[in-house]
Amino acid sequence: MGRFDGRVAVITGAARGIGFGVATRFAEEGASVAIIDLDEAAAAEAAAKLPLAEGAKSVGIGANVAKAEDTEAAVARVVEELGGLHILMNNAGITRDNLLFKMTEEDWDLVMNVHLKGHFLMSKAAQAVFVKQKYGKIINVSSTSATGNRGQANYSAAKAGVQGFTRTLALELGPFGVNVNAIAPGFIATEMTDQTAARLGLDVDEFRKLSADANPVKRVGEPADIAAAAAFLASDESSYITGQTLYVDGGATVA
């Protein structure tokens, strides 16, 4: 028996990277899984790769999480095709890094819309299901950048906002059986961080080594590290935990 047998989980931005790692872990533990991504073909391809347990199902859905009509339609489709909704992980995100004097208004708006507005719209759509059934788990993805990071005024502000959003939803939804928490990853080896290395003119291995050397455990994180934390926060074992942000960063924020 898996701890998510009979549960339905939705992960946004899960066609690759952290999101796909989480989707894989949830599937391994028995959940039916919906992968939501801006690219529906990529979402469907990723959903087809999940190691589903007997009786579980998966679906890939294309949606822009910054559009209310897309998020409402996505949640409705999940409930119809997978038979319910119990877990939402708001993971979709983008970066548009630059120093403040070079950052455009479009760079700011795009990052805010995907992270903050996306979390808001997906949570709003999902809570209608959660409140009615008196059960639900929401996991929001923040970042260690929430504490400030040069060249990421937009991203840092958005990720700090995610933490405030998480605490507020915990207060509002707690009486209805809904737990809301956040995970703040440190450096995780993904295609996104590889692209950051390229933008900085660094070799990927060199970039990862620099990141590993900057934390106490002396290694970079993997999507599986975030998936392990998400599996705990999405389970009934965490029913007395809400409104918290768990930093999964190899100790980088305390170094």
Side-chain angles (χ1 to χ4, degrees):
M1 294 288 290
R3 61 176 156 179
F4 297 132
D5 285 354
R7 301 282 169 83
V8 176
V10 171
I11 304 102
T12 67
R16 62 180 185 173
I18 288 174
F20 185 70
V22 173
T24 299
R25 177 65 180 263
F26 285 177
E28 289 172 343
E29 299 213 27
S32 289
V33 179
I35 287 178
I36 295 179
D37 202 90
L38 190 61
D39 183 341
E40 181 154 10
E45 183 179 353
K49 295 178 181 177
L50 294 176
L52 297 171
E54 184 176 354
K57 297 182 287 185
S58 67
V59 63
I61 299 173
N64 182 343
V65 296
K67 292 185 176 180
E69 59 269 29
D70 281 20
T71 57
E72 291 166 3
V75 168
R77 185 175 166 190
V78 169
V79 172
E80 180 180 356
E81 295 189 21
L82 300 186
L85 177 58
H86 307 92
I87 301 161
L88 167 65
M89 184 165 182
N90 287 310
N91 169 73
I94 61 171
T95 56
R96 293 293 186 274
D97 297 350
N98 227 326
L99 295 174
L100 181 62
F101 76 98
K102 293 182 180 180
M103 187 174 291
T104 66
E105 187 175 352
E106 182 183 15
D107 290 339
W108 179 272
D109 288 345
L110 281 170
V111 170
M112 289 296 169
N113 281 342
V114 174
H115 292 274
L116 281 178
K117 191 176 182 182
H119 281 47
F120 160 67
L121 290 175
M122 282 299 303
S123 297
K124 186 176 181 182
Q127 64 82 35
V129 179
F130 293 162
V131 168
K132 185 176 181 180
Q133 67 193 13
K134 296 291 191 291
Y135 181 90
K137 303 283 187 176
I138 297 176
I139 303 168
N140 296 318
V141 177
S142 179
S143 169
T144 54
S145 291
T147 62
N149 196 31
R150 180 179 171 84
Q152 288 193 315
N154 50 4
Y155 188 76
S156 295
K159 290 305 192 181
V162 165
Q163 296 188 22
F165 179 67
T166 297
R167 289 191 290 271
T168 300
L169 287 197
L171 292 171
E172 292 185 7
L173 299 178
F176 300 97
V178 182
N179 297 84
V180 187
N181 292 289
I183 295 173
F187 185 96
I188 306 297
T190 64
E191 290 179 32
M192 181 180 285
T193 52
D194 289 350
Q195 290 167 1
T196 300
R199 190 164 59 249
L200 295 173
L202 295 173
D203 176 76
V204 168
D205 289 338
E206 178 187 6
F207 188 51
R208 291 183 180 184
K209 184 179 186 305
L210 288 170
S211 299
D213 289 344
N215 70 56
V217 302
K218 302 304 178 187
R219 73 170 177 88
V220 297
E222 302 289 343
D225 294 308
I226 306 305
F232 169 66
L233 291 175
S235 74
D236 290 338
E237 297 166 86
S238 66
S239 62
Y240 199 54
I241 300 171
T242 198
Q244 304 303 306
T245 297
L246 175 61
Y247 280 75
V248 184
D249 64 353
T253 50
V254 296

